[in-house]
Amino acid sequence: MVQYKYKAKDSTGKIVSGTISANDEVDLHERLKAGNLYLIQAKEKVEKRNTKRLKSNVISEFSRNIGKLVGAGVSLVKALRIISEDESINPEEREVYSRVLKLVRSGMALSEALLEQGDAFPPLFINMIKSAEASGNMDQIAMQMASYYDKEYRLNGKVKSSMTYPKILSVMIILVVAIIMGFVMPQFDSLFASMPELPVSTEILLAISAFVKTRWYVLIGVAFVGYIAFELICSIPKVRYLRDKMLIKMPKIGGLMKIIYTARFARTLSSLYSAGISIINCLQIAKNTIGNAYIEQQFDSVISEIRAGGNLSEAIDKVDGFTKKLSSSVMVGEETGALDTMLVSIADQMEFDSEMALNKLVSYLEPVMIVIMAIIVGFIMISVIQPIYGSYQQISTSY
């Protein structure tokens, strides 16, 4: 039995909330229905360990080993023992695997043992293992998850490598400005001091230079506090919701981000649905892998519409943040009775589209960084040259 925190409507339309024990979401829905309550939202209430999430490549390797060993006829307990004794894994991973092995040896199901590890394993992986235990095809689903997390790791790697050049440019901008303000501009102090009048831009530049030279530690402190404050503000649900909504509404960039979000959702949904998990549970799990609070909050109405007997394609088509290609493909799958096949097909296609979208995002970002650097350097050059050129003109007119 699992403890659920739920929100529901009673017969008068009043919102009620509480906790209840149920075997799964379907059982939860039936229990609430027996009490004349209509389920709106539910979340598992689990006492979690404070465990760091394992990386995608680590989960992929763990899943691949499970799939290969179980597929070769090795018992699950022996497979976990072999994995936990592997000399190539780090101590943190070994500790997690050893705890899983201990729980499975005591008679606990693998999915429950993984859930007991707190945040170490993602909900998607746990639910897929739970489905494998019910269907008896642990080796196949484990290999499927290995492929899923391998693709996720490669995509995350591409994101990091794509952002390398913009990050280098950002560091260069900061270093160039710091060197000019802290070391180059002070060399002109005596020259500018002898001039009777300076342009406004030059006075601003000298003030900034003096502040950088004498109060550089204040800038570092302000930058550090500003970063912490920004992270804390963005962690507020309402702020995150507005930020994510603005992101997909931005010209050009918003359309590219929609492709990336759609690809994440499509891949997760296809993996869950092909494993035989109910569509309601699929949506509950898949929405948490999107990475956009604005889109995720729309899924309450999507799930409610599916529970009321609506079509998946029509419900997804109403989500602001997905491309129309997803709902169109789902509609074809529903009409042909091959929804699982269509979901896999659209997931593969959207993954390719997301890689192209990522490359376009980086191609937009690079020239923006270069323009910012050009504006800063140009402002400094104009502010330095303008008074010198003006003084030369005064000297030439005096003769």
Side-chain angles (χ1 to χ4, degrees):
M1 300 286 280
V2 179
Q3 281 279 343
Y4 285 95
K5 294 179 67 176
Y6 69 88
K7 285 185 179 180
K9 282 185 180 180
D10 61 15
S11 56
T12 63
K14 183 181 177 182
I15 302 294
V16 295
S17 59
T19 58
I20 190 173
S21 297
N23 294 321
D24 52 30
E25 272 219 27
V26 177
D27 185 36
L28 171 64
H29 182 69
E30 294 299 326
R31 288 171 182 264
L32 291 175
K33 188 176 180 182
N36 293 322
L37 294 176
Y38 178 72
L39 181 62
I40 298 175
Q41 185 179 4
K43 186 176 182 181
E44 289 187 17
K45 184 180 178 183
V46 182
E47 296 295 329
K48 292 186 175 181
R49 293 175 179 267
N50 187 20
T51 309
K52 185 179 178 181
R53 174 65 56 85
L54 296 175
K55 294 181 179 180
S56 298
N57 61 322
V58 174
I59 297 176
S60 175
E61 186 64 22
F62 174 77
S63 187
R64 184 176 291 107
N65 289 333
I66 289 288
K68 287 182 177 179
L69 290 170
V70 173
V74 179
S75 68
L76 182 59
V77 170
K78 189 173 182 180
L80 289 170
R81 181 175 60 79
I82 293 171
I83 294 170
S84 63
E85 293 175 353
D86 188 351
E87 296 179 354
S88 63
I89 62 177
N90 61 46
E92 290 81 7
E93 294 169 27
R94 191 186 312 280
E95 184 180 352
V96 172
Y97 298 160
S98 297
R99 289 200 302 264
V100 171
L101 173 60
K102 184 178 179 180
L103 291 172
V104 172
R105 270 179 175 163
S106 67
M108 183 179 289
L110 177 58
S111 59
E112 294 180 6
L114 297 177
L115 187 62
E116 287 292 321
Q117 308 314 308
D119 293 326
F121 297 94
L124 169 63
F125 182 71
I126 294 172
N127 280 275
M128 291 294 287
I129 294 298
K130 189 175 183 179
S131 171
E133 290 168 342
S135 60
N137 57 345
M138 178 69 73
D139 55 337
Q140 296 176 17
I141 289 183
M143 294 303 294
Q144 183 181 341
M145 283 291 93
S147 176
Y148 175 91
Y149 284 104
D150 188 48
K151 290 179 180 178
E152 182 180 88
Y153 179 71
R154 289 203 304 269
L155 182 60
N156 291 338
K158 288 180 181 178
V159 172
K160 291 179 181 179
S161 61
S162 298
M163 293 302 295
T164 300
Y165 183 59
K167 287 179 180 178
I168 292 174
L169 279 179
S170 300
V171 173
M172 286 181 61
I173 291 173
I174 295 172
L175 288 177
V176 167
V177 172
I179 291 171
I180 292 176
M181 294 297 183
F183 299 98
V184 177
M185 286 303 301
Q187 308 300 320
F188 293 91
D189 286 348
S190 57
L191 174 62
F192 291 143
S194 63
M195 296 180 182
E197 187 177 359
L198 294 173
V200 176
S201 61
T202 306
E203 291 180 352
I204 294 173
L205 190 65
L206 288 174
I208 296 173
S209 175
F211 187 84
V212 171
K213 184 179 179 181
T214 58
R215 299 284 191 273
W216 56 269
Y217 51 87
V218 175
L219 289 176
I220 295 177
V222 169
F224 178 76
V225 172
Y227 175 77
I228 298 297
F230 178 79
E231 290 294 322
L232 289 174
I233 291 172
C234 288
S235 65
I236 300 173
K238 288 185 178 179
V239 175
R240 183 169 170 246
Y241 175 87
L242 292 174
R243 181 200 65 186
D244 291 349
K245 183 177 181 179
M246 290 175 59
L247 183 61
I248 64 171
K249 299 294 183 182
M250 293 176 65
K252 296 288 186 181
I253 294 177
L256 297 175
M257 293 306 299
K258 285 182 179 180
I259 295 174
I260 294 173
Y261 294 142
T262 305
R264 289 177 185 170
F265 175 77
R267 173 55 64 190
T268 306
L269 185 64
S270 67
S271 298
L272 291 166
Y273 190 75
S274 61
I277 297 175
S278 68
I279 192 63
I280 298 296
N281 287 338
C282 287
L283 294 173
Q284 288 279 12
I285 300 165
K287 74 172 185 177
N288 296 320
T289 65
I290 297 170
N292 185 290
Y294 173 66
I295 300 175
E296 290 170 8
Q297 287 197 16
Q298 298 177 58
F299 270 82
D300 289 341
S301 60
V302 171
I303 293 171
S304 297
E305 186 172 339
I306 298 298
R307 281 199 175 107
N311 292 328
L312 177 62
S313 57
E314 293 178 0
I316 289 179
D317 188 55
K318 297 174 183 176
V319 176
D320 182 20
F322 287 158
T323 62
K324 295 297 181 182
K325 186 184 294 186
L326 176 62
S327 59
S328 299
S329 300
V330 171
M331 183 183 295
V332 173
E334 289 174 332
E335 292 175 350
T336 59
L339 181 58
D340 53 346
T341 303
M342 285 305 302
L343 284 174
V344 173
S345 176
I346 190 61
D348 292 337
Q349 187 177 352
M350 292 306 304
E351 278 184 355
F352 175 78
D353 291 345
S354 68
E355 291 182 14
M356 297 299 102
L358 181 62
N359 292 333
K360 284 185 179 180
L361 280 174
V362 175
S363 69
Y364 290 157
L365 188 59
E366 289 176 359
V368 169
M369 301 294 293
I370 294 173
V371 168
I372 292 173
M373 177 179 268
I375 291 173
I376 294 173
V377 174
F379 172 76
I380 294 172
M381 291 179 64
I382 292 172
S383 300
V384 172
I385 294 173
Q386 190 176 4
I388 297 175
Y389 181 73
S391 65
Y392 285 156
Q393 282 188 326
Q394 291 178 2
I395 293 172
S396 63
T397 55
S398 64
Y399 286 100

